[in-house]
Amino acid sequence: MTRFQPKNPDYRAIATDTFEQQRAMKTLGISIARLEPGEVDLAMDYSLDLTQQHGFIHAGVITAALDSTCGIATFTLMPAGAGILTVEFKTNLLAPARGERFAFRATVVKSGRTLTVCEARAYAAHDGVETLIATMSGTLMALPGREGARKDRALAPV
Amino acid sequence: MTRFQPKNPDYRAIATDTFEQQRAMKTLGISIARLEPGEVDLAMDYSLDLTQQHGFIHAGVITAALDSTCGIATFTLMPAGAGILTVEFKTNLLAPARGERFAFRATVVKSGRTLTVCEARAYAAHDGVETLIATMSGTLMALPGREGARKDRALAPV
Amino acid sequence: MTRFQPKNPDYRAIATDTFEQQRAMKTLGISIARLEPGEVDLAMDYSLDLTQQHGFIHAGVITAALDSTCGIATFTLMPAGAGILTVEFKTNLLAPARGERFAFRATVVKSGRTLTVCEARAYAAHDGVETLIATMSGTLMALPGREGARKDRALAPV
Amino acid sequence: MTRFQPKNPDYRAIATDTFEQQRAMKTLGISIARLEPGEVDLAMDYSLDLTQQHGFIHAGVITAALDSTCGIATFTLMPAGAGILTVEFKTNLLAPARGERFAFRATVVKSGRTLTVCEARAYAAHDGVETLIATMSGTLMALPGREGARKDRALAPV
């Protein structure tokens, strides 16, 4: 249960479908762990292919997962036919992304007619201990019906 | 020629080597296009494996490239033996990441004893036209000699 | 001369008028030093009333000036009747705000139909030397004609 | 009760004293409402002198209060003799700053040896209803003992 009421009764199918169309998520090995209105968790296993120079997961990969988490959480609250795009986000990195498995948890802070503000946190599970490794705050924009369907507008917020 | 004087005469070899140890960059198909003290350009070709739901490059992939560009630019100004880590960054997305090829250009704004502030921009080349698609401003932290070499501190800014 | 074409021929009078309606700017002693389409400079003298615990100007005051600079720069490019609001900004603080006089310079990076991205820098003049002390990157939103005139929407981006 | 253990038993007196030395806070009419280790609330009454063009509190004033809230919250966890400075912050503005009274609530997310990450929220009380109007995520830096006491370093993070 979340405090948000989805506008689209099919939110679950459509949000899941949108995530699955993100081929970058497949490439990075990221999947949906939980999906509620306004709240989405993603999960990712450690992979050497995603590391920086010290063998930890690259901050950009962590950010990609956090961005998708926020995007899908925002998407669950959109009316039917609407698209969304990311306007901006900030990531703070708190600890090395060291672990066997990673969790990314987004919560919508405010869902407006045009803009949504979303916050997300990344956690690393290492030897059975979960550590907060990064935070994100981001802004996303709704593209109403007809416009949301126009592919060429889809990621052009300004 | 840039306005920065590198502290480490081997900055080019060491910065290049650090970049090549980032396996995530290889996975994402990102390479160094230009490297000067405090200024680094990276390049990436379009790949369907890196896309979001509309076939454009995922904002997280763009951010990963911008973060590495800032990281390597910061690294060129470090003294010998020092490591660096990303503290935070903000990305603004201005236009869809649509194109055949992408460029990421970082410039150090201020290089301090402990913290460096760096700005970077991402451009998409599409049908021969280059478009600014994203901006980043970020903070990076130097880890002095011995500490920089300690792998377990490497990405833990706080 | 700037690279932007104002949509409203009266941009100068209207942007100046909007600035002068910001009573906080008067309280902080901030004034317009230069105003061109998409580019605005503000100026402020040092005042003990605006300081933090070490006698330098408070980071929040620097940010207030940077935000207004971006706001007015964005405003110069709006069509007649439109309002604007700040969606978000990030400030990086590079050096102490120590000096007799301060300059705040904003440049619009991209002016879109709905969103504008703007960057600004703050400089301190101290003993005849100008130092970069802070950077801002921000997002602003246009409120079209009728809506822009509705006071109650004026600062509610989401 | 908070989850943080202050390193300095005099944290309350010293944090309060530091806040009271911020003359900008007095100018803006901001005071401490609650102070615990790692958690600080500030309060401010509406004043016409702090408004933007529509009569709401200026986003820069809201940000100044959020920045001080984070600064004092961070300060409560510092060892004796240490100083702090703000490295960066991002503010998202969610709703107009309309109300008779405003509250600013900061919580430290992670307190590290060198860097602290802090989050804060601003609320407007209007006709008995409290509305979330802004969020901040920021990074602050500790200046150890001797260095923290050097006034000229005090706000120069880089």
Side-chain angles (χ1 to χ4, degrees):
Chain A
M1 278 290 294
T2 73
R3 65 203 157 91
F4 291 107
Q5 274 298 335
K7 297 191 186 73
N8 183 351
D10 287 336
Y11 77 90
R12 181 175 298 274
I14 288 176
T16 304
D17 190 51
T18 296
F19 179 81
E20 285 173 358
Q21 288 168 37
Q22 296 192 351
R23 296 195 45 168
M25 290 298 104
K26 195 176 188 73
T27 301
L28 301 175
I30 298 168
S31 59
I32 295 177
R34 176 175 162 262
L35 191 151
E36 301 294 337
E39 296 183 7
V40 169
D41 295 359
L42 301 182
M44 182 182 80
D45 285 334
Y46 178 85
S47 161
L48 203 54
D49 290 340
L50 304 177
T51 54
Q52 35 78 291
Q53 66 270 22
H54 298 100
F56 306 131
I57 300 296
H58 194 283
V61 173
I62 298 297
T63 299
L66 289 169
D67 175 38
S68 274
T69 314
C70 280
I72 301 302
T74 298
F75 205 77
T76 60
L77 303 179
M78 290 293 112
I84 58 146
L85 54 86
T86 304
V87 172
E88 61 82 28
F89 48 69
K90 189 182 82 153
T91 306
N92 276 84
L93 302 155
L94 310 183
R98 173 177 38 194
E100 302 85 42
R101 195 162 170 79
F102 300 87
F104 308 94
R105 297 175 188 142
T107 307
V108 169
V109 174
K110 178 158 182 188
S111 177
R113 195 183 42 163
T114 307
L115 298 181
T116 293
V117 173
C118 185
E119 290 178 354
R121 300 195 170 206
Y123 299 86
H126 183 48
D127 288 345
V129 178
E130 193 176 77
T131 304
L132 175 64
I133 57 169
T135 62
M136 172 178 280
S137 77
T139 307
L140 298 102
M141 188 176 182
L143 295 173
R146 231 172 327 197
E147 198 171 359
R150 279 181 53 205
K151 271 195 175 185
D152 61 334
R153 274 283 300 160
L155 264 192
V158 295
Chain B
M1 279 288 296
T2 72
R3 66 203 156 90
F4 291 107
Q5 275 297 337
K7 295 191 187 75
N8 183 352
D10 287 336
Y11 76 89
R12 182 174 297 274
I14 289 176
T16 304
D17 190 51
T18 297
F19 179 81
E20 285 173 358
Q21 288 168 35
Q22 296 191 350
R23 294 193 49 167
M25 291 297 105
K26 195 179 188 72
T27 300
L28 301 175
I30 298 168
S31 59
I32 295 178
R34 176 176 161 264
L35 190 151
E36 300 294 337
E39 296 183 7
V40 168
D41 295 359
L42 301 182
M44 183 182 80
D45 285 334
Y46 177 86
S47 162
L48 203 54
D49 290 340
L50 305 177
T51 54
Q52 36 77 289
Q53 67 270 25
H54 298 99
F56 307 130
I57 300 296
H58 194 283
V61 173
I62 298 297
T63 299
L66 288 169
D67 174 38
S68 275
T69 315
C70 280
I72 301 301
T74 299
F75 205 76
T76 60
L77 303 179
M78 290 294 111
I84 58 147
L85 54 88
T86 303
V87 171
E88 61 81 29
F89 49 69
K90 188 182 81 155
T91 305
N92 277 84
L93 302 156
L94 310 182
R98 172 176 39 196
E100 303 86 41
R101 194 162 171 79
F102 300 87
F104 308 94
R105 297 174 189 142
T107 306
V108 169
V109 174
K110 178 158 182 189
S111 177
R113 195 181 43 163
T114 307
L115 298 181
T116 293
V117 173
C118 185
E119 291 178 355
R121 300 196 169 206
Y123 299 86
H126 182 48
D127 288 345
V129 178
E130 193 177 77
T131 304
L132 176 64
I133 57 169
T135 62
M136 171 178 282
S137 77
T139 307
L140 299 101
M141 188 176 183
L143 296 174
R146 230 170 330 195
E147 199 171 359
R150 279 182 53 206
K151 271 196 173 182
D152 61 333
R153 275 281 302 161
L155 262 191
V158 295
Chain C
M1 279 288 295
T2 71
R3 66 203 157 88
F4 290 107
Q5 275 298 334
K7 294 191 187 76
N8 182 352
D10 288 335
Y11 76 90
R12 181 175 298 274
I14 289 176
T16 304
D17 189 52
T18 297
F19 180 80
E20 285 173 358
Q21 288 169 35
Q22 296 192 351
R23 295 193 48 166
M25 290 298 105
K26 196 178 188 71
T27 300
L28 301 175
I30 299 168
S31 59
I32 295 179
R34 175 174 163 264
L35 190 150
E36 301 293 337
E39 296 183 8
V40 169
D41 295 358
L42 301 182
M44 183 183 79
D45 285 334
Y46 177 85
S47 161
L48 203 54
D49 289 340
L50 304 177
T51 53
Q52 35 77 290
Q53 66 271 24
H54 298 99
F56 306 131
I57 301 295
H58 193 284
V61 173
I62 298 297
T63 299
L66 289 169
D67 175 37
S68 275
T69 316
C70 280
I72 302 301
T74 298
F75 205 75
T76 62
L77 303 179
M78 290 294 111
I84 58 147
L85 54 87
T86 303
V87 172
E88 61 82 28
F89 48 69
K90 188 183 81 155
T91 306
N92 277 84
L93 302 155
L94 310 183
R98 173 176 39 195
E100 301 86 41
R101 196 162 169 79
F102 300 87
F104 308 94
R105 298 178 186 138
T107 306
V108 168
V109 174
K110 178 159 183 189
S111 177
R113 197 181 42 163
T114 306
L115 297 180
T116 293
V117 173
C118 186
E119 290 178 355
R121 299 195 172 207
Y123 299 86
H126 183 48
D127 288 345
V129 178
E130 194 177 78
T131 305
L132 175 65
I133 58 169
T135 62
M136 172 178 280
S137 78
T139 307
L140 299 101
M141 188 176 182
L143 296 174
R146 229 169 331 194
E147 198 171 359
R150 279 182 53 206
K151 273 196 173 182
D152 61 332
R153 272 284 298 160
L155 263 191
V158 295
Chain D
M1 279 289 295
T2 72
R3 66 203 155 89
F4 290 107
Q5 275 297 335
K7 295 191 186 75
N8 182 351
D10 288 336
Y11 76 90
R12 182 175 297 273
I14 289 176
T16 303
D17 189 51
T18 296
F19 179 81
E20 285 173 359
Q21 288 168 36
Q22 297 192 350
R23 295 194 46 167
M25 291 298 104
K26 194 176 189 71
T27 300
L28 301 175
I30 299 168
S31 59
I32 295 178
R34 175 175 162 263
L35 191 151
E36 300 294 336
E39 296 183 7
V40 169
D41 295 0
L42 301 182
M44 182 182 81
D45 284 335
Y46 178 86
S47 161
L48 204 54
D49 289 340
L50 305 178
T51 53
Q52 36 77 291
Q53 67 270 23
H54 298 99
F56 307 131
I57 300 295
H58 194 284
V61 173
I62 298 298
T63 299
L66 289 169
D67 175 37
S68 275
T69 315
C70 281
I72 302 302
T74 298
F75 205 76
T76 61
L77 303 179
M78 290 294 112
I84 59 147
L85 54 87
T86 304
V87 172
E88 61 81 30
F89 48 70
K90 189 182 82 154
T91 305
N92 277 83
L93 302 155
L94 310 183
R98 174 176 37 196
E100 302 85 41
R101 196 162 170 79
F102 300 87
F104 308 94
R105 298 176 186 140
T107 307
V108 169
V109 175
K110 178 159 183 188
S111 177
R113 196 183 41 164
T114 306
L115 298 180
T116 293
V117 173
C118 186
E119 290 177 355
R121 300 197 171 204
Y123 299 85
H126 183 46
D127 288 345
V129 178
E130 193 176 77
T131 305
L132 176 64
I133 58 170
T135 61
M136 172 178 281
S137 78
T139 307
L140 298 100
M141 189 175 180
L143 294 174
R146 229 170 331 196
E147 198 172 359
R150 279 182 52 206
K151 271 195 173 183
D152 61 333
R153 274 284 299 161
L155 262 192
V158 296

